[in-house]
Amino acid sequence: MKARNRPPRLEPHPAAVHHVPPATPEQLLERAKVAGGAGAPGRTELRRFVERIVAGDRSALGELLPIRGLTILDAWAAFTEVFGAIPETPAIDAARTFAAVRRSAARIRAVGAAGGRIAVATAAPASLLPLHLAFVRLARAAGADVPDLADVGPIRADGRSPRFLRWVDGVAAVTDGHALCATGDGEAAREWLFILPRPALVVADGPFAEVAWEAGVEVVALAGLDRGGLAVAAARGERCTLVPLRTDRAPRAYSSVISGLESMPARPSPPEM
């Protein structure tokens, strides 16, 4: 049909146009199932997990030592403060995730401004490597020394050998020489902390965060409800800022967190005169 013979184009009536507001970062995080209740432990499962932390069960504490004097009330108060989780609602509050990201960035900027060393490592590289690389970029821009070493090993990790520690642009992870591997025990983390010059701050997840904290190093820890032992330390303000999020999602699921980090200034703004 020739253009002159086509019927006139009908524009939608203004009342029929619906303007959908853009999603907030918190909504994006919940849609990506990094926060919220999707994939979280059930109520009974989480309640038993918290009870095992209080009882000093090493399978619940990971690489942490039992916490003396910890009560059920203390543990639940910590999980609520850090994750936003309560016994009836085992979920991660996305607003708390972004609040913790801002606090983490502030600590990284402060350590970097003093020329401190910030070590970064991930036990879940298939999910968290891009997010940790964003932390590395922020740390370097702030002036921090971020170790980036040659391969270390062979070592034994998770009952398997040979394994090696490999740095990917400043982020340490476990490798078998062909692929980056997840790790759940503390063997690789202890070797990592042993060979490093002592850092002023560690940004890590899983056993890397737990081993560093037990060694007396301040940590920014990325953890979900399934590995929340450090929540007690974070709630007490004991050298730990815990960023609550699931650590098993696809890398693109963390894009809103990465965007948030990249939008933060590397150095604190000067005070107004």
Side-chain angles (χ1 to χ4, degrees):
M1 182 182 291
K2 295 183 179 180
R4 64 175 178 270
N5 296 326
R6 291 175 184 164
R9 180 177 178 179
L10 298 178
E11 298 294 339
H13 191 277
V17 177
H18 299 284
H19 295 283
V20 179
T24 65
E26 290 81 5
Q27 289 171 331
L28 291 174
L29 208 62
E30 291 187 359
R31 291 176 187 175
K33 299 181 181 179
V34 172
R43 287 180 292 181
T44 300
E45 184 182 356
L46 183 60
R47 185 178 69 250
R48 290 175 177 169
F49 178 70
V50 172
E51 290 171 351
R52 286 162 48 212
I53 288 176
V54 174
D57 185 337
R58 294 305 300 271
S59 65
L61 287 166
E63 299 305 313
L64 300 175
L65 295 176
I67 304 166
R68 294 181 179 179
L70 183 66
T71 68
I72 289 289
L73 290 177
D74 293 336
W76 271 115
F79 267 65
T80 300
E81 179 178 338
V82 174
F83 293 104
I86 59 176
E88 296 77 19
T89 310
I92 295 174
D93 178 7
R96 282 175 166 81
T97 302
F98 282 104
V101 168
R102 289 190 290 271
R103 292 195 301 273
S104 301
R107 283 302 302 143
I108 290 169
R109 290 196 299 264
V111 173
R117 182 176 296 112
I118 299 178
V120 185
T122 180
S127 295
L128 297 180
L129 181 58
L131 177 53
H132 280 295
L133 288 170
F135 278 109
V136 168
R137 290 192 293 271
L138 179 65
R140 286 176 172 160
D145 170 23
V146 180
D148 192 11
L149 308 184
D151 285 5
V152 171
I155 62 174
R156 186 174 179 84
D158 302 284
R160 296 178 174 86
S161 61
R163 292 289 186 265
F164 303 86
L165 288 168
R166 176 166 293 174
W167 278 257
V168 181
D169 197 17
V171 182
V174 174
T175 178
D176 60 3
H178 302 281
L180 297 179
C181 307
T183 182
D185 67 25
E187 293 303 315
R190 281 186 280 273
E191 182 69 17
W192 165 74
L193 200 60
F194 175 77
I195 58 95
L196 281 177
R198 187 173 177 87
L201 179 68
V202 157
V203 180
D205 56 89
F208 289 102
E210 293 163 351
V211 166
W213 188 84
E214 283 291 352
V217 180
E218 181 183 357
V219 301
V220 169
L222 281 58
L225 289 165
D226 60 334
R227 196 149 189 162
L230 281 175
V232 177
R236 293 176 174 178
E238 297 176 353
R239 295 181 287 102
C240 180
T241 302
L242 192 147
V243 180
L245 44 71
R246 286 180 60 183
T247 59
D248 60 350
R249 302 294 294 153
R252 64 181 295 174
Y254 303 93
S255 58
S256 59
V257 181
I258 294 172
S259 297
L261 281 172
E262 292 176 341
S263 67
M264 293 178 183
R267 300 180 186 275
S269 301
E272 296 183 1
M273 300 299 291

